[in-house]
Amino acid sequence: MTSSQPGLPRSPRPIDRRTFFRYSAFAGVAVGGTALLAACGSDSSDSSGGTTDDGSKYGTVAVQLSWIKNIEFAGEYFALEKGYYKDAGFGNVNLIAGGAAGTGIEAGLDTGKIWIGLSAPQLTAPAVLNGLPAKIVGATYQKNPFAIVSSAAKPILTPQDMVGKKIGVQDSNQLVFGALLDANGIDPASITVVPAQFDPTPLANGEVDGWVSYVTNEPITLAAKGFPNHAMLFADYNLPLVAETFTVLQDTIDNERDKLKAFLIAEIKGWKDAIADPAESARLAAEVYGKDQNLDVAEQTKEATAQIGLVVSEDTKTNGLFTMTPKLVEQNIAALAKAKLDVTADQLFDLSIIDEIYKENPDLK
């Protein structure tokens, strides 16, 4: 199968929202792992916008994660452990693991099963274009972790090196992979796309030449298993998309602004702790929140350290975590256009909330 066959459509055909959400339910990010973990605590969300009244100021809210409970959500774990959510007025925050059918963030917002979700521009944009009244209000990862991992003996150093090669691509990552090809002027027919899951064993076995991955995950796990490798970041080759973006309904922005600000403040505090202590982040991921995932503490520590460079940038050092500069927003809109997603910044982003938070709480920077 080549990428000119089913995968990334060259000109997206119109789809109704039901069809879109059925597809996006599988839209997890490209990270390793097998077993899927259910929410920490019961999923007490109902159809009332993912919030349950528990007597606290803001109630218990359901938060949809983009993937299984691993190190990617260290900031959320710290916010729970340190009581930052409770201090902000929440009775509890239910972290709902992603990665399985039916766990798409945009679908969850549309049905009212969740209050907020961690997603990505390339997933939220199609939903917005298909009528979902939602916006991105902040970005955890300033630089997206998507990468092509390959053998160190036969490294793929640039997108052009993929020509004539076999690349393992997961269904949920066809869109972003196609955008990488478009952004670098590569004919999809020149590459053989091999349908893949998230276990990179086929790369280690030599069945493919490259593998769509997260730079903070598969390269580290493969190296730990004795497979020297090279990772080529999408973000370094004309696709500077942010990731792990906070996505909410427009109604939340309009009618629950203080609640949203309180939540994001707790998140900022949690992520500051996670950045400061990769070892504890790894322990929480492997031994507490992801204890059913068979995660290795040492490996998670390496991933926690690696992701700091994605969360922290020169701009966030100045402006604060989760912020996006106008230039970064513009770059994301341009990158989405290369994926045939013609959405405007005003349609997709509302960064006024995070800007207000830092204006009112400069000590959080």
Side-chain angles (χ1 to χ4, degrees):
M1 171 182 170
T2 66
S3 58
S4 59
Q5 291 176 303
L8 174 73
R10 310 312 299 162
S11 297
R13 63 185 183 278
I15 56 176
D16 60 39
R17 292 178 74 191
R18 183 182 298 273
T19 301
F20 168 75
F21 287 127
R22 185 167 59 247
Y23 168 78
S24 68
F26 293 89
V29 292
V31 295
T34 51
L36 299 173
L37 184 66
C40 177
S42 61
D43 178 5
S44 56
S45 63
D46 56 23
S47 59
S48 58
T51 299
T52 301
D53 185 3
D54 58 12
S56 64
K57 183 175 182 179
Y58 295 126
T60 292
V61 296
V63 179
Q64 179 69 63
L65 306 180
S66 62
W67 191 239
I68 61 172
K69 291 180 179 176
N70 64 6
I71 198 64
E72 291 170 50
F73 312 106
E76 284 71 35
Y77 306 152
F78 269 103
L80 282 168
E81 291 293 306
K82 295 289 191 72
Y84 296 144
Y85 293 129
K86 287 189 180 296
D87 291 346
F90 295 90
N92 195 16
V93 169
N94 285 334
L95 302 180
I96 302 174
T103 59
I105 282 78
E106 288 73 19
L109 289 170
D110 191 51
T111 59
K113 293 297 184 183
I114 63 171
W115 181 68
I116 192 169
L118 289 163
S119 190
Q122 69 271 17
L123 302 179
T124 304
V128 168
L129 291 172
N130 279 278
L132 182 70
K135 283 193 172 71
I136 291 169
V137 295
T140 307
Y141 284 2
Q142 297 291 297
K143 189 174 185 179
N144 84 78
F146 280 111
I148 298 295
V149 61
S150 56
S151 167
K154 296 180 180 179
I156 293 174
L157 303 176
T158 70
Q160 286 70 27
D161 290 345
M162 293 189 292
V163 173
K165 302 287 200 315
K166 294 180 180 179
I167 308 296
V169 185
Q170 304 79 13
D171 282 347
S172 59
N173 293 322
Q174 291 281 356
L175 182 66
V176 72
F177 180 69
L180 176 70
L181 301 186
D182 284 344
N184 291 279
I186 297 173
D187 182 358
S190 68
I191 296 172
T192 299
V193 170
V194 179
Q197 300 299 318
F198 293 101
D199 179 357
T201 299
L203 174 64
N205 290 342
E207 298 170 36
V208 296
D209 303 295
W211 193 265
V212 175
S213 71
Y214 251 27
V215 71
T216 53
N217 195 285
E218 284 90 343
I220 294 171
T221 58
L222 285 167
K225 294 176 180 178
F227 183 77
N229 61 81
H230 173 79
M232 179 197 76
L233 275 170
F234 287 25
D236 290 340
Y237 289 93
N238 305 317
L239 209 64
L241 292 166
V242 292
E244 300 299 357
T245 46
F246 294 99
T247 305
V248 298
L249 293 175
Q250 183 65 47
D251 182 70
T252 298
I253 296 171
D254 293 341
N255 299 309
E256 296 182 299
R257 196 175 187 88
D258 288 344
K259 178 178 174 180
L260 180 56
K261 287 165 72 172
F263 177 84
L264 290 173
I265 287 172
E267 286 277 338
I268 291 167
K269 292 177 179 179
W271 271 103
K272 289 180 73 173
D273 287 350
I275 291 163
D277 196 344
E280 179 62 6
S281 295
R283 187 192 71 81
L284 290 174
E287 298 180 1
V288 182
Y289 294 92
K291 61 184 178 181
D292 294 339
Q293 297 300 312
N294 297 316
L295 302 172
D296 179 75
V297 173
E299 186 177 289
Q300 291 290 288
T301 301
K302 290 179 181 178
E303 294 183 22
T305 302
Q307 77 177 359
I308 292 173
L310 303 175
V311 176
V312 179
S313 68
E314 289 304 314
D315 288 328
T316 64
K317 289 177 183 178
T318 300
N319 303 320
L321 297 177
F322 310 157
T323 58
M324 291 180 66
T325 64
K327 180 180 179 181
L328 184 56
V329 170
E330 181 182 335
Q331 289 174 334
N332 272 256
I333 294 300
L336 291 170
K338 292 171 183 174
K340 307 299 188 291
L341 294 170
D342 295 319
V343 65
T344 67
D346 288 342
Q347 284 178 295
L348 189 59
F349 295 101
D350 186 340
L351 299 169
S352 63
I353 298 95
I354 198 72
D355 290 342
E356 284 178 16
I357 286 172
Y358 285 112
K359 184 177 181 180
E360 296 165 1
N361 305 273
D363 55 310
L364 284 175
K365 290 184 180 180

